[in-house]
Amino acid sequence: MHLAEIIKIKASEKIELAIRRHWITFMPTIGLFTLLALVPIAVYYIFGQTAPDLISAEYPRAFIVLMFSVYELTIMLVFYSSFLMYYLDMIIITSDRVVQIQQKTLFSRSVSELDIYKIQDTTSEITGIVATILGYGKLTIETAGEQENFIFDACPHVNDVRRTMMQLAKENPKFRTAEGGARVQQP
Amino acid sequence: MFSIPFYFILIAYFLYLAIFLIFSIANVYHIYASGTFTFPAIAVTTIVSLICVAILFVTFMNVASINWGTVIVFFGPGGILSFE
């Protein structure tokens, strides 16, 4: 399935940006799971030093191998689930809408939509040395009315995205400027 | 004293593998159904799959020569744990 099918894109609509969290935010997860995956090797080494009879005996060794196998496969499964929850979180900006997809857990996902002409304000926040160097930060999209703001953390090139979004909002045909420069939304 | 055949452990392992397979298929389906079947997703899926295959291969190599008909005896004449 393509993204255009997922968000039911209209014929006159065009996907401008499809944004995921910056890859750097997934690095700690990779580091953690790499360490966890090395635990059986460390345990096997410790057993080899402290209880060599245990791992040299045929049947206890087979049992230990099966337990390590279960552990490692579980680590891989949880890692892949973590990757899914990182990768499936995204914001899709089209010429007409902003669609935010949040993968909360493996079997829980929320999709929010906002007409682009309803955007009142967008804010980009970059905090920290790494974020400043890599140019990612928090993107906040404020709307008129009761709809909750869209917040997207670790947005790559957040300043460029903010500018693009405001430009698209102004160019949207449902948005017009009244006399004196006040912004007025089409009914 | 009680005893269980060693292949009970293998059956439990296969049950775990069945659950693992179900969740793995659900994960891959999520990638496909959410329109995110992109190169990075395919690359990570391939790498994780290869690591899982390697884990299963190493496991098989280590347990292939075991006589699964052996009986584990708990609190028997051979001690807390013995194999017959």
Side-chain angles (χ1 to χ4, degrees), chain B:
Chain B
M1 163 183 135
F2 65 93
S3 61
I4 58 170
F6 202 59
Y7 61 73
F8 272 29
I9 295 172
L10 196 62
I11 290 170
Y13 182 70
F14 282 146
L15 282 173
Y16 168 79
L17 283 186
I19 296 167
F20 173 82
L21 198 63
I22 289 168
F23 275 96
S24 300
I25 291 170
N27 280 341
V28 176
Y29 174 74
H30 264 105
I31 288 274
Y32 170 74
S34 60
T36 52
F37 210 48
T38 57
F39 175 74
I42 294 171
V44 170
T45 304
T46 304
I47 290 168
V48 170
S49 302
L50 288 174
I51 293 173
C52 290
V53 167
I55 291 167
L56 291 170
F57 178 74
V58 169
T59 304
F60 173 75
M61 292 300 289
N62 276 277
V63 302
S65 59
I66 294 293
N67 176 13
W68 294 100
T70 302
V71 174
I72 309 172
V73 179
F74 296 91
F75 305 107
I80 296 173
L81 187 70
S82 60
F83 298 89
E84 292 176 4

Side-chain angles (χ1 to χ4, degrees), chain A residues 5-87:
Chain A
E5 293 168 23
I6 300 294
I7 63 172
K8 305 283 189 290
I9 200 164
K10 296 175 281 210
S12 58
E13 197 177 3
K14 180 188 152 199
I15 293 179
E16 302 285 343
L17 291 169
I19 306 161
R20 291 184 172 85
R21 298 188 198 287
H22 201 281
W23 57 266
I24 198 76
T25 58
F26 194 62
M27 289 297 110
T29 305
I30 292 176
L32 173 67
F33 278 94
T34 304
L35 281 175
L36 288 174
L38 294 174
V39 163
I41 298 171
V43 169
Y44 191 81
Y45 175 76
I46 292 168
F47 273 161
Q49 301 296 312
T50 57
D53 294 337
L54 187 65
I55 58 170
S56 58
E58 188 181 17
Y59 293 99
R61 187 164 179 271
F63 180 76
I64 289 169
V65 166
L66 287 178
M67 289 301 104
F68 282 178
S69 175
V70 166
Y71 174 84
E72 294 284 7
L73 289 173
T74 306
I75 292 292
M76 285 294 112
L77 191 64
V78 175
F79 169 75
Y80 193 65
S81 301
S82 301
F83 169 74
L84 279 186
M85 284 190 279
Y86 153 77
Y87 201 68

